[in-house]
């Protein structure tokens, strides 16, 4: 009977020890669960913030893309609205209507503009080329048919 009581006592000690260990395990599990809950709440908060940032960046990118598209369209329109430099008279800086080649320097000018240069040159003197500044030994002008056609085509656009 003594052995039985001893065994019963050992069993109770073991049961108490198991209960203490179970309690410690429950506390550890509860603490881990709290930590996991906190971690997941923080993670959820970070994901929400990241999602909000991504949404804001997407909106900003969309706005920037629209701005770029408007700027690109404006640039294209600006490019299209400016005649090529070879169609502009270097004296008037306007699109030529009656382009002529000055035989003396080989450059093309608007007829009225180069004739004004000739008229402003005193008698007995040679005019200077508006393009090169060199003396022009001739006042002969020849129609520039190719440039005239290009100017007409540009005006028809």
């Amino acid at each position: 009977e003594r052995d039985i009581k001893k065994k019963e006592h050992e069993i109770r000690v073991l049961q108490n020890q198991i209960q203490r260990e179970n309690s410690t395990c429950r506390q550890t599990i509860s603490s881990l669960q709290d930590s996991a809950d906190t971690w997941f709440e923080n993670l959820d908060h970070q994901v929400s913030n990241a999602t909000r940032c991504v949404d804001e960046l997407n909106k900003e990118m969309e706005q920037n893309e629209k701005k770029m598209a408007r700027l690109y369209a404006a640039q294209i329109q600006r490019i299209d609205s400016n005649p090529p430099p070879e169609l502009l008279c270097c004296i008037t800086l306007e699109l030529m209507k009656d382009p002529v080649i000055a035989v003396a320097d080989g450059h093309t000018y608007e007829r009225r503009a180069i004739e004004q240069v000739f008229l402003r040159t005193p008698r007995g003197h040679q005019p200077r080329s508006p393009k090169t500044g060199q003396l022009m030994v001739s006042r002969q002008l020849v129609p520039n048919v190719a440039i005239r056609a290009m100017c007409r085509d540009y005006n028809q656009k």
Side-chain angles (χ1 to χ4, degrees):
E1 192 168 303
R2 205 170 179 191
D3 281 338
I4 291 177
K5 284 193 180 195
K6 190 176 177 184
K7 291 289 179 191
E8 284 175 349
H9 177 69
E10 285 176 7
I11 288 173
R12 275 193 297 276
V13 167
L14 285 174
Q15 283 176 336
N16 285 337
Q17 193 176 6
I18 288 172
Q19 282 179 343
R20 280 192 306 274
E21 287 178 8
N22 278 345
S23 176
T24 301
C25 284
R26 278 192 215 106
Q27 287 174 349
T28 302
I29 288 171
S30 177
S31 175
L32 287 172
Q33 184 65 44
D34 290 345
S35 293
D37 288 346
T38 302
W39 187 82
F40 278 112
E41 285 173 14
N42 286 338
L43 182 62
D44 188 45
H45 181 69
Q46 289 175 353
V47 167
S48 288
N49 283 341
T51 301
R52 189 170 46 257
C53 286
V54 167
D55 289 345
E56 288 172 10
L57 286 172
N58 282 336
K59 285 178 188 175
E60 192 174 324
M61 279 178 49
E62 187 176 316
Q63 290 171 347
N64 286 339
E65 286 172 354
K66 288 178 183 176
K67 282 180 189 175
M68 285 180 64
R70 284 193 303 269
L71 288 173
Y72 180 74
Q75 186 71 17
I76 293 297
Q77 185 177 10
R78 222 176 286 123
I79 289 168
D80 285 346
S81 67
N82 291 331
E86 60 271 11
L87 302 184
L88 300 178
C89 173
C90 68
I91 300 170
T92 65
L93 300 178
E94 294 177 356
L95 185 68
M96 293 184 272
K97 294 179 183 137
D98 187 11
V100 292
I101 300 171
V103 173
D105 70 359
H107 292 286
T108 299
Y109 305 97
E110 176 63 34
R111 181 183 297 276
R112 276 191 248 149
I114 193 66
E115 286 176 347
Q116 284 299 312
V117 170
F118 293 161
L119 287 173
R120 279 190 245 120
T121 304
R123 281 194 193 272
H125 291 87
Q126 293 176 330
R128 293 201 173 265
S129 166
K131 266 290 210 204
T132 67
Q134 300 294 317
L135 289 176
M136 298 176 79
V137 295
S138 168
R139 295 180 184 220
Q140 183 180 359
L141 302 174
V142 178
N144 191 330
V145 180
I147 294 293
R148 180 180 296 140
M150 291 170 67
C151 289
R152 246 189 247 130
D153 288 347
Y154 180 81
N155 267 331
Q156 291 176 354
K157 274 199 220 175

